Amino acid sequence: MLRYRLGAATGTGHRADGRHGTVDLPAPPGAWRRHTLDLPADVRRLWPDLVAGDNSLRGLRLGVQVAAGARGAYVVDRLVFDRARRAGQAGEELRAEVLRGYAGAYPGVTHHRAYEVSMARHLNWFGGDQTLPRFPSPPYRDNDVGATERMVEFLHGHGGVVCWNHPLDVERRESLARLLVERHALGVDLIEIGREPVDDHLWAYDVAARNAIPVTAVGVTDDHDGTDWRAGRDRHVTYVLAASTGRDDLVAALRAGQAWFTDLARYRGALDLEIGGRSAMGAVLTTDAADLTVRLHATDLPAGAALEVVTGAVDLAGVADPTPAIRTGQVSWRQLRQGWHDLPVSPGAGTYLRTQVRGRDGVLIGAGNPVWLLRQAPPRGIAPARRF
């Protein structure tokens, strides 16, 4: 937080106390004084290890402070915001500068550019050539289903994968399930399931799974605060099983459903499903086998937590009776000391299986994507990324 104090000193001074910085500027009482505040320059001076451009102006407050028992007054006139670098791709150039500025500072972190596209239902776009769509003027959000489908089609035309953010902001769980099944999730590749209310999001997601609609469940990507993610309400982060941290490998893992999400503050372990020694999470497997063994992987469960196994019939029932017919079993953290558990599964006419983790208090703190075990390919076929 950056604070300017006018009139508190006879000369200009800078002082940083952790995340709080103060700039003192002289301002004699009873006289007009014009001040120009160069925020990036002051951030550089206060916190030289930060990239100054990686800051935003929010929560602006103006006030006056006087000694106890005294009275004070102030006037602010002709307040002007000079927002530089607005033309063309200036915003993208600034972001590239920020990433270059932090290059090498965090060797364990790899950055890749991504976009939130907000003129339809909010979408996140990962990978591709990142050609921005045309924006209406004045800008407005259009929640029309067809408009979102057309935006998804445009983004897919430029590569990468598309995520549907906070899908319950304009839907109820029943109407969300209908869009997932009847409109095939509006064409998106990913959907934010790991956000509150998580159980309602998972309910709609299970309806889609019952109808063999493979869309990758992820945590929260649409966060606008970023001040303390561990203390936030929606703090599920997404992990993927990828060949590398390269952008194309990460996008491929998301497209294939090789992903799980966890509560950032409560669980940081890994989830996976394995069949025949191969990772199968997110995959669609056609098989004639009467029985299969699925190895459940779940590492670092907190004491008292349990791994839940959610199994449901794939009956392509549509949404006439949407309630997913699921069974939920449990594997305690004590049974997972080696990080895995073998589960015999009978696919029957068609089954999907996924795992989730609940803490000692019963709160969901992590969930993985399903594997589908089918007798034959679903009506829409099996996407190459999903084939086992």
Side-chain angles (χ1 to χ4, degrees), residues 100-136:
R100 285 196 299 270
Y102 284 126
Y106 302 95
V109 178
T110 302
H111 294 90
H112 299 291
R113 293 192 304 166
Y115 288 122
E116 179 188 346
V117 180
S118 303
M119 297 300 99
R121 298 186 183 212
H122 288 190
L123 308 169
N124 264 68
W125 184 25
F126 306 102
D129 63 20
Q130 300 186 336
T131 298
L132 287 175
R134 294 183 63 182
F135 290 94

Side-chain angles (χ1 to χ4, degrees), residues 73-91:
Y74 71 102
V75 176
V76 177
D77 192 16
R78 300 179 185 179
L79 181 62
V80 177
F81 294 90
D82 181 11
R83 298 181 62 187
R85 304 183 63 166
R86 299 191 67 183
Q89 294 295 308

Side-chain angles (χ1 to χ4, degrees), residues 159-182:
V161 293
V162 182
C163 179
W164 183 356
N165 298 342
H166 43 79
L168 286 180
D169 62 344
V170 293
E171 301 292 343
R172 299 177 66 85
R173 68 177 194 171
E174 291 80 8
S175 60
L176 173 59
R178 188 172 299 109
L179 290 176
L180 291 175
V181 175
E182 296 179 348

Side-chain angles (χ1 to χ4, degrees), residues 304-318:
L307 180 71
E308 293 185 340
V309 185
V310 177
T311 308
V314 180
D315 54 9
L316 309 180

Side-chain angles (χ1 to χ4, degrees), residues 298-301 331-341:
T299 66
D300 303 320
L301 261 67
V331 182
S332 75
W333 66 279
R334 295 183 184 279
Q335 294 174 273
L336 285 161
R337 286 184 174 175
Q338 302 300 318
W340 57 270
H341 176 77

Side-chain angles (χ1 to χ4, degrees), residues 119-320:
M119 297 300 99
R121 298 186 183 212
H122 288 190
L123 308 169
N124 264 68
W125 184 25
F126 306 102
D129 63 20
Q130 300 186 336
T131 298
L132 287 175
R134 294 183 63 182
F135 290 94
S137 182
Y140 66 94
R141 178 181 177 180
D142 186 353
N143 286 323
D144 178 71
V145 170
T148 302
E149 289 173 325
R150 290 189 294 273
M151 182 62 74
V152 172
E153 184 179 0
F154 170 87
L155 300 178
H156 278 160
H158 290 273
V161 293
V162 182
C163 179
W164 183 356
N165 298 342
H166 43 79
L168 286 180
D169 62 344
V170 293
E171 301 292 343
R172 299 177 66 85
R173 68 177 194 171
E174 291 80 8
S175 60
L176 173 59
R178 188 172 299 109
L179 290 176
L180 291 175
V181 175
E182 296 179 348
R183 304 294 285 257
H184 305 287
L186 309 188
V188 301
D189 311 278
L190 327 171
I191 186 169
E192 284 187 354
I193 297 299
R195 68 179 308 132
E196 296 298 332
V198 179
D199 287 335
D200 281 349
H201 283 87
L202 281 170
W203 183 92
Y205 187 75
D206 281 322
V207 175
R210 174 186 185 179
N211 286 277
I213 307 293
V215 56
T216 302
V218 296
V220 177
T221 57
D222 190 354
D223 178 86
H224 291 253
D225 294 324
T227 52
D228 187 353
W229 287 333
R230 289 174 298 181
R233 175 175 179 265
D234 289 310
R235 60 191 186 205
H236 286 96
V237 294
T238 305
Y239 297 87
V240 295
L241 298 172
S244 75
T245 57
R247 191 188 70 168
D248 291 346
D249 285 336
L250 296 174
V251 167
L254 287 169
R255 182 179 283 118
Q258 291 270 287
W260 70 99
F261 58 83
T262 73
D263 183 325
L264 179 64
R266 299 189 57 187
Y267 179 50
R268 303 297 293 274
L271 299 176
D272 195 11
L273 304 171
E274 190 178 282
I275 296 176
R278 296 167 54 198
S279 177
M281 186 165 59
V284 180
L285 169 64
T286 56
T287 177
D288 293 326
D291 297 286
L292 290 171
T293 297
V294 179
R295 175 161 289 187
L296 316 176
H297 285 271
T299 66
D300 303 320
L301 261 67
L307 180 71
E308 293 185 340
V309 185
V310 177
T311 308
V314 180
D315 54 9
L316 309 180
V319 292

